[in-house]
Amino acid sequence: YDNDKEPVDAYIVKSNPIKLRCQARPALQIFFKCNGEWVHQSQHMSQEHTDLTTGLKIREVMINVSRQQVEDFHGPEDYWCLCVAWSHLGTSKSRKATVRIAYLRKNFEQDPQGTEVPLNGMIVLHCRPPEGVPVAEVDWLKNEENLSFDDGNIMEKKGDHNLIISEARLSDSGNYTCVASNIVAKRRSATATVIVYVNGGWSSWTDWSPCNVRCGRGVQKRSRTCTNPAPLNGGAFCEGMSVQKSTCNTVCPVDGGWGEWSEWSACSSDCERQRSRECTAPEPKHGGRLCDGLHTSLNSSDVALYSGLAAGVVTVVLLIVAVTLYRRSQSEYGVDVIDSSALTGGFQSFSFKTSRQANPLLINSSMQPDLTVSRTYTSPMCFQDSIDKELMAERSLLDPLPDLKVKAFTVSSGVTERAEYHVMSHPQTFPRGLAPDYRGVAVGTTLGRRGKNLFSPHVSLTPRLPLHRATAVFGHAGGRLVVPNTGISLLVPHGGIAEDTTWEMYMSINQEDSSTASDDGSEIFLSPAVTYGPPGLDLSYPIAMTIAHCAEVAADNWTIRLKRHIQDNKWEEVMSVNEESTSCYCLLEAQKCHVLLEHPGRYALVGEPLNQEAGKRLRLAVFGSPDASNSLGFTLRVYCVDDTPHAFQEVAVGERSRGGRLLEEPKMMLFKANTFSLQVSIQDVPQLLWSIKPFTTCQEFSFSQVWASNQHPLQCAFTLERYSHSSSQLSCKISIRQVTGKEQILQVYTSVVENEKGVVPFFTQSDCTITSQTGSRAFKIPLSIRQRISTTFDTANANGKDWQLLAQKLHIDRNLCYFACQESPSSVILTLWEAQHPDSGDLDSLASALEEISKVHSPKAVSLSCSKEERDSEFTKLA
């Protein structure tokens, strides 16, 4: 026999018969015998040819074996066949060839299991392929690509098909799949997710900070960060404290003091003499101030001249003091503010007549006002403010109107009082050539107050870019500037700008190049970066800026700081929100921070988590739109953004421009600093009506993406396709959860028809064009009452009725040293209160505070024109 032509083992795949071949030389006859029985001659197929080299005849015989034959055989061994050849030399038999039916089971005997291992640990994935004939071969896939075993770090044990990685690297993280195959089929195991994590390690301690006080006992601190290495892929956060504090003692500065004068020297030829003194009683030490005054005193014969000048100066000073005392005695503000009669008469609405054709707010209007047209002004729609108060007390409101007669009507106790005022315009100056610009009031339209509903069904879906900048011209009367729908506003107090001066002020939101506010990445932005200016702005009183933030401040898990931009990506700390400061003031609320500032610039709130419980708020929203390239397709886009109005407005306006619609009211979730990722999955999709793109039902954002997401909103998309045009409704759930955290569900039930309207988001005011209010319209407290409050409480009072009591009653009782350094602490406190309470209804809290102060026992209080019972009654009415 030719060894290559003996029958060989064969496998029947599905129902296809196999051929067994047998070849011999020289041979007269060849027959097959299967399972001990001769195969009938008719089933043999034979052919014969002559070997040209040897001249011998070669005979080849074939038979077919079907699946049915093999299945019908029930013997102690597998189905087998051999061939027998005859020649003149004798008889010869071939080897037995077995015939088996090939198959491969569907289920693996053991699927690989996902695992989490530390860096440099060992990864072992077990795989036992399905039973099959012939035995299946096993290959491994990583992230759907064939795994290479060229790296000596990865090996496979052929016997049990286990995958072993001796030292895990970060790059070994991925989805691993065991693939078994033979001549029949190929089977895939369940995917095993391998995560190589890194446990966090502390960095070195920083140097101790300078002592926080210039004199005496204070505190200094040092910090370290969990960045050596930083925890990754769910690794454990560093144990221990990130900040250490220690007491410190700073040597107090000693200011210099003059010693005794020396004796006069002898007179010179010019009849002059001199004496001197030294700054040695004591000497200035440790940074103390040098002595003020002259080191040397000169005495000459011009004594009469100097004496006359001194007498003249004293006379002028006495005259000024006398006039001041006289004017103060005639002032109406020298009474105790506890008399609230001015308050009840101060919050009145008014109407006045203005020109029908021209804008009455233009300076030096050439047209005479038409006094036959009456118009009632209320708050602009961009503000929650109300001007229902005594505007006649604020003359600067009407200053731009030349020679305008204003009729005011006041209704009190059923009696209508009517007064007519004739207001003259006065010249104004504008620094750096700025011209006055009174924008924001539309003539010919009655302005309505903004509604309270977050979702309005009448929003226009016309694409419009968000407003990131607001400008307005402010003068001595002050005003309010707002960037619409961003939670950002600026309040310029009355008197903050010098008289006869105006400034064109602006406020804008900046897009930062970096998502972290520190070089080591330990601090993140908790608010937008807000700039106000112009740079050369000169203010007499601090302005109040309100910034929205996303920090969860209910627990003491953050160190929050106000920082000011220097250059490039460099920021300097202005103050820590929880520490005392005289340079600025921060009032931190749950969703906003009110800051009192004196210097223009770019500011932002940044935060450093103190532990893993520190969290920031995320706003979750789902938008949907039909697929433009597939009439049966529909796309759901899920956004996770910082919970600030500015961040969500960016998303909403972008979706409006692309035709997307909001399918569910946005929800809030708390994302904690525990280094776990954020998972977004789609659930409960009707399988009979809709199909979803494979491998996209669950998507994931890494921790770092979400934690520092203030720059770019996070978005993931689910692409669905309906089986028929008749399926016009889509219902499903979007599940969003931080690993090991609570789950938030967005329920989607919508029509996929293009012209169907979705839920309308709360950013309906993005079309608002009125971003500023000037003069008394910007404030809740009328100017006359504000001045009386400030005059009363700024004056020291033995009974404790001073600005500190006012701050206590208004719940502003922290960092009082800042107000103590102000020229008028009460005015600054009221400015902060105005920024903190933008609604007209909040006047009740101020009235209640004044009513409480009125009940404080004050035997030496100045008696007013009304009795105590009348005053208490008036405060009760206002409250």
Side-chain angles (χ1 to χ4, degrees):
Y1 284 96
D2 185 344
N3 292 335
D4 292 339
K5 298 301 181 179
E6 284 188 287
V8 296
D9 296 341
Y11 298 94
I12 295 178
V13 179
K14 297 183 179 178
S15 298
N16 300 321
I18 55 97
K19 293 183 181 296
L20 294 179
R21 300 174 183 269
C22 185
Q23 180 177 294
R25 59 180 176 180
L28 299 176
Q29 293 291 336
I30 299 177
F31 289 97
F32 272 93
K33 180 184 285 188
C34 293
N35 302 317
E37 297 181 358
W38 294 103
V39 179
H40 195 274
Q41 184 176 1
S42 62
Q43 297 179 10
H44 289 72
M45 294 170 286
S46 62
Q47 59 182 9
E48 188 178 69
H49 62 276
T50 303
D51 190 343
L52 299 178
T53 305
T54 62
L56 297 177
K57 290 185 178 181
I58 300 175
R59 180 177 292 275
E60 183 178 14
V61 177
M62 295 178 294
I63 64 171
N64 289 330
V65 180
S66 66
R67 182 186 184 96
Q68 188 66 42
Q69 289 177 277
V70 177
E71 290 179 344
D72 291 342
F73 173 70
H74 301 285
E77 55 184 352
D78 291 333
Y79 189 98
W80 60 269
C81 292
L82 58 79
C83 61
V84 181
W86 289 271
S87 70
H88 63 279
L89 299 177
T91 303
S92 178
K93 292 182 180 181
S94 70
R95 63 179 294 275
K96 284 184 179 182
T98 60
V99 179
R100 304 174 68 183
I101 297 175
Y103 67 92
L104 185 63
R105 304 289 186 194
K106 289 185 177 181
N107 297 326
F108 278 70
E109 294 184 5
Q110 182 178 4
D111 284 307
Q113 301 297 317
T115 182
E116 296 182 359
V117 297
L119 187 68
N120 299 324
M122 177 178 288
I123 301 174
V124 179
L125 298 179
H126 300 278
C127 176
R128 293 174 58 190
E131 178 187 351
V133 174
V135 176
E137 296 181 356
V138 172
D139 295 307
W140 286 91
L141 301 180
K142 177 186 176 184
N143 297 332
E144 303 301 322
E145 296 183 357
N146 289 323
L147 184 63
S148 173
F149 292 91
D150 296 337
D151 189 348
N153 191 40
I154 303 177
M155 58 182 178
E156 178 186 14
K157 294 184 65 174
K158 294 296 183 181
D160 51 11
H161 308 292
N162 292 342
L163 178 65
I164 300 176
I165 301 177
S166 57
E167 293 186 3
R169 298 162 299 190
L170 289 177
S171 59
D172 293 326
S173 297
N175 296 321
Y176 289 82
T177 307
C178 180
V179 179
S181 61
N182 63 8
I183 60 176
V184 178
K186 179 182 291 187
R187 310 294 186 199
R188 291 168 55 98
S189 71
T191 298
T193 300
V194 175
I195 298 176
V196 180
Y197 62 86
V198 179
N199 291 324
W202 288 114
S203 65
S204 300
W205 288 102
T206 62
D207 295 333
W208 287 101
S209 66
C211 203
N212 65 341
V213 296
R214 296 184 57 188
C215 174
R217 184 182 179 88
V219 176
Q220 60 180 166
K221 61 182 180 179
R222 64 176 182 174
S223 62
R224 59 180 178 174
T225 58
C226 189
T227 56
N228 186 32
L232 190 64
N233 295 337
F237 199 82
C238 301
E239 296 183 357
M241 298 300 295
S242 62
V243 178
Q244 279 187 348
K245 294 184 178 181
S246 175
T247 58
C248 55
N249 287 282
T250 305
V251 179
C252 295
V254 177
D255 296 336
W258 288 114
E260 297 293 332
W261 286 101
S262 65
E263 297 294 333
W264 285 104
S265 65
C267 287
S268 66
S269 59
D270 296 330
C271 198
E272 292 181 350
R273 61 178 181 172
Q274 63 180 13
R275 62 178 179 174
S276 62
R277 57 181 177 175
E278 300 295 334
C279 187
T280 57
E283 293 183 357
K285 296 180 181 179
H286 312 303
R289 293 194 302 269
L290 297 176
C291 299
D292 294 330
L294 296 176
H295 174 267
T296 302
S297 175
L298 181 66
N299 179 260
S300 67
S301 61
D302 297 331
V303 175
L305 174 62
Y306 290 129
S307 300
L309 290 176
V313 170
V314 171
T315 303
V316 172
V317 171
L318 292 176
L319 181 60
I320 293 175
V321 170
V323 172
T324 302
L325 292 176
Y326 174 78
R327 294 183 63 182
R328 180 173 297 179
S329 65
Q330 301 299 319
S331 173
E332 64 172 340
Y333 303 131
V335 297
D336 196 330
V337 75
I338 305 308
D339 176 12
S340 63
S341 60
L343 280 173
T344 57
F347 299 88
Q348 302 291 336
S349 62
F350 77 102
S351 65
F352 63 88
K353 298 184 178 182
T354 184
S355 174
R356 194 183 300 224
Q357 302 295 332
N359 188 341
L361 299 184
L362 294 178
I363 296 179
N364 299 326
S365 174
S366 60
M367 301 189 65
Q368 289 295 331
D370 185 355
L371 301 180
T372 63
V373 179
S374 178
R375 177 172 297 115
T376 300
Y377 283 81
T378 59
S379 298
M381 64 185 296
C382 289
F383 293 89
Q384 299 177 4
D385 303 350
S386 171
I387 57 172
D388 299 337
K389 54 196 173 194
E390 187 185 9
L391 293 179
M392 295 305 103
E394 175 62 272
R395 170 178 174 177
S396 60
L397 171 67
L398 304 176
D399 283 345
L401 304 179
D403 304 330
L404 176 63
K405 292 184 179 180
V406 180
K407 297 180 180 179
F409 300 86
T410 303
V411 181
S412 179
S413 304
V415 179
T416 301
E417 299 177 0
R418 174 172 176 172
E420 183 172 299
Y421 299 83
H422 188 79
V423 185
M424 300 294 294
S425 63
H426 62 81
Q428 301 183 1
T429 59
F430 303 91
R432 295 167 179 79
L434 295 177
D437 181 10
Y438 295 88
R439 293 170 289 187
V441 179
V443 176
T445 307
T446 300
L447 304 177
R449 182 178 305 170
R450 184 173 68 179
K452 297 291 183 182
N453 292 332
L454 293 179
F455 296 87
S456 169
H458 306 294
V459 62
S460 171
L461 296 180
T462 305
R464 184 185 184 96
L465 292 176
L467 298 177
H468 296 298
R469 182 182 175 93
T471 61
V473 174
F474 295 111
H476 184 69
R480 190 186 298 263
L481 191 61
V482 172
V483 180
N485 314 312
T486 62
I488 311 298
S489 64
L490 191 74
L491 186 68
V492 182
H494 180 276
I497 299 176
E499 294 188 23
D500 300 331
T501 304
T502 60
W503 286 92
E504 183 176 15
M505 297 181 62
Y506 64 85
M507 184 168 55
S508 62
I509 298 177
N510 303 90
Q511 187 73 17
E512 296 304 314
D513 297 331
S514 173
S515 57
T516 58
S518 59
D519 295 335
D520 57 5
S522 59
E523 293 180 330
I524 62 171
F525 285 98
L526 298 176
S527 75
V530 180
T531 301
Y532 87 90
L537 181 64
D538 184 18
L539 296 173
S540 303
Y541 297 104
I543 59 96
M545 183 165 65
T546 299
I547 308 176
H549 66 81
C550 64
E552 175 60 34
V553 297
D556 190 16
N557 298 321
W558 284 96
T559 296
I560 300 179
R561 301 179 177 90
L562 178 70
K563 288 198 171 185
R564 187 173 188 267
H565 183 261
I566 306 175
Q567 60 180 3
D568 298 331
N569 291 328
K570 302 295 183 181
W571 293 76
E572 66 174 356
E573 179 177 344
V574 178
M575 71 169 295
S576 177
V577 172
N578 296 324
E579 295 181 357
E580 302 286 324
S581 173
T582 58
S583 60
C584 69
Y585 187 93
C586 287
L587 179 61
L588 188 66
E589 296 179 340
Q591 296 181 340
K592 294 180 180 180
C593 182
H594 308 283
V595 187
L596 296 175
L597 298 169
E598 299 179 7
H599 304 290
R602 185 190 305 179
Y603 295 89
L605 284 178
V606 302
E608 178 182 359
L610 298 179
N611 50 52
Q612 296 187 27
E613 293 302 315
K616 71 172 188 174
R617 302 186 312 277
L618 296 181
R619 187 169 300 182
L620 314 174
V622 54
F623 291 80
S625 62
D627 193 340
S629 60
N630 183 2
S631 60
L632 296 175
F634 194 81
T635 301
L636 298 178
R637 290 177 295 278
V638 182
Y639 291 89
C640 304
V641 300
D642 288 357
D643 186 27
T644 60
H646 164 66
F648 185 71
Q649 188 198 30
E650 290 286 318
V651 172
V653 173
E655 280 292 331
R656 178 189 292 186
S657 64
R658 71 194 300 178
R661 59 181 185 265
L662 186 65
L663 304 182
E664 169 71 350
E665 294 185 6
K667 294 186 177 181
M668 191 275 289
M669 75 172 293
L670 188 63
F671 187 81
K672 294 188 176 181
N674 55 18
T675 72
F676 289 116
S677 58
L678 188 71
Q679 293 180 347
V680 183
S681 60
I682 185 170
Q683 304 172 359
D684 299 345
V685 178
Q687 299 294 327
L688 299 179
L689 302 178
W690 291 83
S691 65
I692 186 169
K693 187 176 180 181
F695 308 110
T696 62
T697 55
C698 183
Q699 302 180 38
E700 188 170 357
F701 296 117
S702 67
F703 171 79
S704 58
Q705 284 179 295
V706 184
W707 191 244
S709 62
N710 68 305
Q711 300 306 308
H712 305 287
L714 299 178
Q715 169 195 350
C716 63
F718 299 99
T719 302
L720 299 96
E721 184 175 351
R722 47 184 171 159
Y723 293 117
S724 170
H725 285 283
S726 60
S727 302
S728 61
Q729 298 293 326
L730 171 63
S731 64
C732 62
K733 294 180 180 178
I734 303 295
S735 169
I736 305 174
R737 62 188 293 267
Q738 190 176 9
V739 177
T740 73
K742 294 183 179 179
E743 181 182 39
Q744 189 67 273
I745 297 293
L746 297 176
Q747 180 69 53
V748 175
Y749 184 80
T750 183
S751 171
V752 298
V753 181
E754 287 196 29
N755 59 1
E756 185 74 15
K757 293 182 179 179
V759 179
V760 179
F762 71 91
F763 58 92
T764 57
Q765 283 83 10
S766 61
D767 291 332
C768 178
T769 59
I770 302 176
T771 60
S772 64
Q773 288 179 316
T774 57
S776 57
R777 286 176 298 191
F779 304 98
K780 301 297 169 292
I781 309 173
L783 178 60
S784 60
I785 297 178
R786 180 188 179 97
Q787 289 176 331
R788 294 182 64 183
I789 293 175
S790 300
T791 301
T792 300
F793 288 102
D794 283 345
T795 305
N797 191 307
N799 299 291
K801 293 184 180 180
D802 57 4
W803 61 267
Q804 297 187 54
L805 179 60
L806 177 65
Q808 176 187 349
K809 296 301 181 181
L810 296 181
H811 308 291
I812 304 173
D813 50 4
R814 189 186 60 81
N815 195 14
L816 296 183
C817 62
Y818 173 82
F819 300 106
C821 297
Q822 301 298 320
E823 180 180 350
S824 175
S826 301
S827 295
V828 179
I829 291 173
L830 294 179
T831 298
L832 182 61
W833 184 91
E834 289 269 8
Q836 188 183 6
H837 300 83
D839 292 328
S840 297
D842 292 331
L843 285 168
D844 294 343
S845 64
L846 178 61
S848 299
L850 295 177
E851 185 176 9
E852 290 181 16
I853 296 175
S854 70
K855 296 177 181 179
V856 176
H857 181 63
S858 178
K860 296 182 181 181
V862 179
S863 64
L864 304 178
S865 57
C866 58
S867 66
K868 178 179 183 300
E869 291 76 10
E870 291 173 341
R871 293 200 305 271
D872 292 345
S873 175
E874 292 296 337
F875 276 105
T876 302
K877 291 180 181 178
L878 182 58

